Amino acid sequence: MGEKTVRKISNTEEKTIYIDHLLKDVEALDQLLQNGMFQKAPIHIGAEQEFCLVNEFWDPSDLGVEILAEINDEHFTSELNKYNLELNLEPLKLEGRCFSELHHALNELMIKAKKAAEKHKAKVILTGILPTITYKYLHHNYMTPAERYRVLNEAIKAIRKDDIELHIKGVDEVNLHHDTILYEGCNTSFQAHLQIDPSDFVNMYNWAQAIAGPVLSICTNSPLLLGKELWEETRIALFTQSVDTRSSTFILNEKESRVSFGDHWVSGTIADFYKDAIINFRSLVTTSFDTDSLSQLKEGKIPTLKALSLHNGTTYRWNRLCYGITDNQPHVRIENRYMPSGPTTDDEIANMMFWVGLMHGRPKAYDDIHTKMDFKDAKGNFFNAARYGMGAQFYWEGKLISSQELLLDHFLPMAFRGLYSMNIEPMDAERYLSIIEKRIRSHSGSRWMINSYRKLLKTNKAPEALKIMVATMYDRQEKRYTVDAWQLARGDEYKIPKKQITVGDRMNTKTITAQDIDSAALVLRMMQWKQIHHTPILDDDLNLAGLLSWVDVEHYLNNPDLEIQSIKDIMKTSLITAEADMLLEEAKKLMKENNIHCLPVVNDKKLVGIITNNDL
């Protein structure tokens, strides 16, 4: 959110004060624009790097606060979840070798983070969504203990008045409720900033929207969530839903999500853009104010627009407009929020250069793009890219065109022209844009992950496959191979130490279950047809209520005249269960001591899996 000290708007007086400052900020912004006070040149670029922290077993590390203190550098800051951190790079003038310089600064700071992490037996991973995140890491105790995160979480829940819903359907499907915004913290991105001229705001912003889909298609790097294969860039759906303040109702809800692409081309001024955001999205939090923007203007100072910036920090356009002050001059920039973190810093700088080149390489024919392209085509292109990555097709100039053709034949030449127009060193342009070209002709980070995961699942359970994949990602990132050169994971990159293997690493999560009201004869036949030796039985609340074993099936088969009225009559109700975190050695001992052949695995009373002798 930018502002470190915030609190929930809890009474009428606080709301009145905050709204007063918000309105004065908008008025001050109008005056800055009318008086031509915004910096137009030189143009600057900047970036923010979010990254994940993992422990020695490739699971999320909960030591982010300690590692941040160890780094002890103002470029770094905390993120929502304990296992994420962010570093902010110094802005540079868009000229010469600025991208190489930015890359060098990024690598130097990342080395600092890695050294600090090593002292806590942790490692740094660059990825859009860390594959080894499980439900365990999405509870309140993994939220960074900073007041602003707690306040934002409470404010969003207060508006929704209900749990947050998550439903993403790709190749697999995730459908669940959650009571925190911690799912938002699964997302890590590489956020690129480009300063723009306020007088050319409409052209620049609408063009950023028009190219977003094709640019995203080559950057995708987060296809997995909770072990499920979803979108090529699952972050887009996950972020949208994880901080959604809209409640589900039986009435069509026309409100926009706080995370959105937008629903129309922009028009008017920068101030009009912010006014629309104020109209569409309720203010969530407030802070303390020493003075107001209009008073700052009267004193000859450039106003910080504190209230407006705070509001803007809780609305999340994929292309977000940001206000700032450099050398005592206000400026405005577009923040590209849709590019994921990783797979390497080389890939990230290439993505950023490609985007900046396109932003400045816009041909005259694409001026006033809002008069030549339907906004819904631009929005549709964006979500097609998020779902299908390089497999997407786009509507461009009224025609349906493949991602590869559009990027190679149209966008790459355009990006080169844009970079040369800004006097970018030709060797730099060729170095980074060649990374984009090679990726177009090979595979993206998300496609590498999908293919590696599918390969690993042939010989490993999902939890171990995910750890092997993260270990492989770390190895390739450290060697700084760009993702187009990555070979699929072999499978021997990591092996869970025997003493560390848990029930969750070996259990079956796809389990055939029955309810205690189901036909007993049918359930027993199901077990016979599928040769299932154990079937968990659930009650009306879908809590684990009992267990049917192969012994019950055999008894039924050996007594065909036996009438069974209810599953409740034959199921075992005195159950010995395990939790996913239980060590496998403990589970073996428990089964041996009790002479049983399976353990239902539960979280509270809910069944999450089953582990049998075969799994051991």
Side-chain angles (χ1 to χ4, degrees):
M1 290 181 288
E3 182 64 41
K4 300 291 185 186
T5 307
V6 298
R7 60 183 181 275
K8 185 180 168 184
I9 300 174
S10 56
N11 56 54
T12 304
E13 182 183 359
E14 281 190 339
K15 187 171 186 177
T16 301
I17 293 171
Y18 175 78
I19 296 299
D20 179 61
H21 280 278
L22 190 60
L23 295 176
K24 286 178 178 176
D25 282 358
V26 173
E27 189 177 341
L29 179 59
D30 268 325
Q31 290 185 31
L32 290 171
L33 289 166
Q34 290 164 13
N35 296 329
M37 297 175 70
F38 273 84
Q39 184 186 64
K40 296 185 178 181
I43 294 171
H44 291 79
I45 57 170
E48 301 167 58
Q49 173 75 73
E50 297 173 348
F51 56 92
C52 302
L53 298 165
V54 297
N55 60 26
E56 56 192 318
F57 308 113
W58 306 105
D59 290 318
S61 169
D62 61 355
L63 299 177
V65 174
E66 292 82 352
I67 292 169
L68 182 61
E70 185 78 42
I71 295 171
N72 191 27
D73 187 316
E74 62 182 9
H75 290 93
F76 291 82
T77 186
S78 63
E79 281 288 292
L80 174 63
N81 293 4
K82 287 181 178 179
Y83 40 85
N84 296 337
L85 291 177
E86 175 186 291
L87 74 84
N88 296 276
L89 294 164
E90 299 289 343
L92 296 173
K93 292 179 184 177
L94 182 57
E95 61 183 15
R97 301 188 70 250
C98 63
F99 288 99
S100 285
E101 292 168 14
L102 195 75
H103 192 187
H104 177 74
L106 173 59
N107 282 338
E108 288 298 303
L109 287 167
M110 289 300 291
I111 288 170
K112 197 168 188 178
K114 290 171 185 177
K115 287 180 177 178
E118 283 173 9
K119 292 181 180 179
H120 295 270
K121 296 184 178 180
K123 296 180 178 68
V124 169
I125 298 288
L126 299 178
T127 183
I129 297 174
L130 182 63
T132 50
I133 292 174
T134 62
Y135 301 107
K136 169 184 173 180
Y137 303 103
L138 295 166
H139 295 150
H140 286 88
N141 54 323
Y142 279 90
M143 182 183 289
T144 299
E147 186 68 8
R148 59 183 177 142
Y149 301 129
R150 185 189 65 78
V151 168
L152 182 62
N153 184 59
E154 289 181 358
I156 287 175
K157 285 186 65 178
I159 291 176
R160 276 189 60 87
K161 296 180 174 61
D162 198 358
D163 286 345
I164 297 170
E165 298 172 33
L166 188 68
H167 184 203
I168 306 173
K169 191 169 186 176
V171 176
D172 299 320
E173 186 173 7
V174 168
N175 190 10
L176 50 86
H177 281 225
H178 53 104
D179 61 355
T180 74
I181 60 171
L182 282 176
Y183 280 81
E184 186 273 322
C186 294
N187 303 294
T188 45
S189 58
F190 183 80
Q191 296 157 13
H193 293 249
L194 175 65
Q195 184 182 337
I196 63 171
D197 182 343
S199 62
D200 196 30
F201 158 65
V202 170
N203 252 335
M204 288 294 278
Y205 189 85
N206 284 337
W207 178 243
Q209 294 282 80
I211 65 174
V215 171
L216 175 61
S217 71
I218 192 57
C219 302
T220 57
N221 193 38
S222 58
L224 302 172
L225 175 66
L226 303 173
K228 304 294 185 182
E229 187 181 320
L230 302 173
W231 293 10
E232 295 266 327
E233 191 53 40
T234 303
R235 284 172 51 258
I236 303 303
L238 179 59
F239 193 17
T240 301
Q241 296 182 36
S242 58
V243 292
D244 199 346
T245 52
R246 301 171 299 173
S247 295
S248 299
T249 69
F250 288 106
I251 303 170
L252 182 63
N253 192 334
E254 295 289 355
K255 292 179 181 177
E256 220 179 329
S257 166
R258 292 191 88 88
V259 180
S260 74
F261 185 79
D263 58 7
H264 56 79
W265 297 117
V266 302
S267 58
T269 68
I270 289 166
D272 294 326
F273 181 90
Y274 283 120
K275 289 171 188 175
D276 283 346
I278 293 169
I279 291 168
N280 290 329
F281 304 113
R282 191 189 307 183
S283 298
L284 296 177
V285 293
T286 186
T287 188
S288 300
F289 299 94
D290 298 324
T291 184
D292 65 77
S293 296
L294 294 179
S295 298
Q296 286 179 305
L297 269 178
K298 286 179 183 178
E299 294 169 6
K301 298 176 182 177
I302 300 301
T304 56
L305 307 187
K306 198 172 183 180
L308 185 60
S309 295
L310 187 57
H311 185 277
N312 192 48
T314 60
T315 60
Y316 309 94
R317 295 283 188 193
W318 291 112
N319 283 306
R320 183 159 69 177
L321 207 60
C322 297
Y323 169 90
I325 302 172
T326 304
D327 300 327
N328 203 36
Q329 271 191 296
H331 71 261
V332 69
R333 61 193 186 275
I334 294 175
E335 178 190 20
N336 179 327
R337 298 177 56 82
Y338 56 78
M339 294 189 296
S341 177
T344 66
T345 57
D346 297 69
D347 286 300
E348 291 174 330
I349 298 297
N351 294 342
M352 180 181 182
M353 178 185 268
F354 184 46
W355 175 65
V356 171
L358 288 172
M359 288 295 291
H360 282 279
R362 183 184 76 239
K364 286 286 183 185
Y366 293 127
D367 285 353
D368 301 318
I369 190 72
H370 57 284
T371 66
K372 300 164 186 175
M373 183 179 187
D374 192 301
F375 180 80
K376 290 195 174 181
D377 279 341
K379 188 171 183 177
N381 287 345
F382 182 76
F383 286 103
N384 279 343
R387 286 186 175 95
Y388 309 117
M390 287 297 293
Q393 289 188 303
F394 301 119
Y395 283 99
W396 194 258
E397 294 185 332
K399 300 175 184 176
L400 191 61
I401 184 170
S402 72
S403 174
Q404 288 88 341
E405 184 181 347
L406 181 59
L407 294 173
L408 286 172
D409 298 345
H410 300 269
F411 275 28
L412 267 176
M414 195 188 299
F416 273 111
R417 289 194 298 270
L419 294 168
Y420 294 153
S421 74
M422 299 307 296
N423 297 315
I424 296 299
E425 186 71 36
M427 285 185 65
D428 247 25
E430 289 167 16
R431 173 190 173 187
Y432 290 108
L433 290 189
S434 69
I435 294 173
I436 297 296
E437 182 177 0
K438 285 186 286 186
R439 202 188 307 153
I440 295 169
R441 298 184 187 278
S442 55
H443 56 257
S444 63
S446 58
R447 189 42 49 174
W448 178 87
M449 261 195 245
I450 288 168
N451 291 337
S452 287
Y453 188 46
R454 290 177 181 177
K455 176 186 175 183
L456 292 169
L457 283 176
K458 292 177 181 178
T459 52
N460 300 273
K461 295 282 188 180
E464 191 157 22
L466 293 169
K467 291 182 179 186
I468 294 169
M469 189 168 64
V470 173
T472 308
M473 290 162 57
Y474 176 78
D475 176 66
R476 308 284 163 81
Q477 287 172 4
E478 287 299 288
K479 291 176 179 174
R480 286 187 57 186
Y481 298 148
T482 51
V483 75
D484 60 273
W486 287 18
Q487 298 296 312
L488 296 183
R490 298 183 305 274
D492 60 356
E493 289 85 353
Y494 176 69
K495 188 173 181 63
I496 302 175
K498 189 173 181 180
K499 291 184 178 179
Q500 294 296 329
I501 299 174
T502 66
V503 168
D505 293 326
R506 290 284 187 268
M507 71 184 184
N508 293 297
T509 55
K510 292 183 178 179
T511 306
I512 293 178
T513 62
Q515 285 191 260
D516 54 13
I517 57 172
D518 289 343
S519 161
L522 177 59
V523 174
L524 292 172
R525 283 297 180 189
M526 283 166 45
M527 294 175 69
Q528 181 188 10
W529 296 334
K530 290 293 185 180
Q531 297 184 352
I532 299 168
H533 284 212
H534 304 91
T535 299
I537 308 300
L538 311 180
D539 62 20
D540 284 345
D541 297 318
L542 300 183
N543 293 324
L544 181 65
L547 185 73
L548 280 182
S549 71
W550 187 247
V551 174
D552 303 309
V553 177
E554 288 183 325
H555 182 64
Y556 173 74
L557 294 175
N558 293 332
N559 298 275
D561 298 327
L562 186 66
E563 289 189 14
I564 304 172
Q565 298 299 322
S566 171
I567 290 178
K568 292 179 182 179
D569 296 336
I570 57 172
M571 71 182 186
K572 296 178 178 65
T573 55
S574 298
L575 302 181
I576 298 170
T577 62
E579 293 184 349
D581 286 342
M582 178 184 284
L583 291 174
L584 196 64
E585 289 301 316
E586 286 184 39
K588 284 183 181 179
K589 185 179 178 183
L590 192 62
M591 291 167 72
K592 186 176 181 180
E593 287 176 350
N594 290 277
N595 193 29
I596 54 177
H597 304 290
C598 86
L599 285 172
V601 186
V602 296
N603 180 0
D604 195 9
K605 296 179 181 179
K606 300 297 181 185
L607 183 77
V608 295
I610 190 168
I611 190 160
T612 70
N613 280 347
N614 288 339
D615 303 311
L616 301 182

